[in-house]
Amino acid sequence: TLNLTSSSSSFTFSTFPQASWLSVNPVNGTVPSALTVTANPAGLLASATPYQGLLTIFGLTNTVSVPVFLSVGSIAVSPSSLTFAYQIGAPVPAAQTLTLSGQSATFGATAGPNSGGNWLQVSPPNGTSPGTVSVSLNAAVLATLAAGTYTGNVTITPTSGVAGSPINTQVTLTV
């Protein structure tokens, strides 16, 4: 969201997104106003260098250009977060799956850092997308945790093909 304001009276504006993957709504109106800027990666190739676009806003007497950057990675991970619940003395909860989609690329998968110790595990530690990563709890560490809420991350890092930025999936454990 891009908020348009003016210290003087209200005036009309129009916008011009200068990239095919960039859109804005509304395209014109009266200030003050809130613009919703959307970047659609459909049809764009993964790249280690962000795509650059420009949103130009034409006002009564001024023109403002806003640079917009879009990073398109080689793989996507879903879901974006995982939640585990463990009752002390009960069996360890079943593993959950992260699904990797997108271009074929090798990746590394790591668990951590985690509050409360190394209670989070991933398997396999390396793989090829599209594919899956199993996320599970370390029973030995789980048995030592006090009641509470713990957070951790699973990080998927593309290592070959068209590289992208590491993708973090937040994991919450409630004991």
Side-chain angles (χ1 to χ4, degrees):
T1 301
L2 184 62
N3 292 312
L4 301 180
T5 60
S6 173
S7 58
S8 61
S9 62
S10 69
F11 58 88
T12 59
F13 69 88
S14 60
T15 62
F16 181 66
Q18 298 171 346
S20 61
W21 49 266
L22 186 59
S23 64
V24 62
N25 188 30
V27 294
N28 53 48
T30 304
V31 172
S33 190
L35 304 178
T36 301
V37 180
T38 304
N40 181 356
L44 299 178
L45 297 176
S47 173
T49 304
Y51 286 86
Q52 294 182 343
L54 191 64
L55 174 62
T56 305
I57 304 165
F58 300 96
L60 185 62
T61 58
N62 294 325
T63 299
V64 176
S65 294
V66 179
V68 180
F69 299 91
L70 175 63
S71 295
V72 178
S74 55
I75 58 177
V77 178
S78 66
S80 59
S81 65
L82 297 173
T83 302
F84 289 95
Y86 172 68
Q87 184 173 352
I88 296 172
V92 175
Q96 296 184 39
T97 302
L98 291 176
T99 301
L100 284 68
S101 59
Q103 296 180 350
S104 179
T106 59
F107 65 86
T110 57
N114 307 313
S115 62
N118 295 326
W119 49 267
L120 192 56
Q121 306 176 124
V122 294
S123 178
N126 299 290
T128 303
S129 68
T132 60
V133 172
S134 178
V135 180
S136 60
L137 301 177
N138 181 333
V141 175
L142 197 59
T144 67
L145 296 177
T149 300
Y150 301 87
T151 58
N153 282 296
V154 172
T155 303
I156 306 295
T157 305
T159 56
S160 76
V162 179
S165 300
I167 302 165
N168 290 312
T169 301
Q170 183 176 346
V171 182
T172 303
L173 167 63
T174 303
V175 177

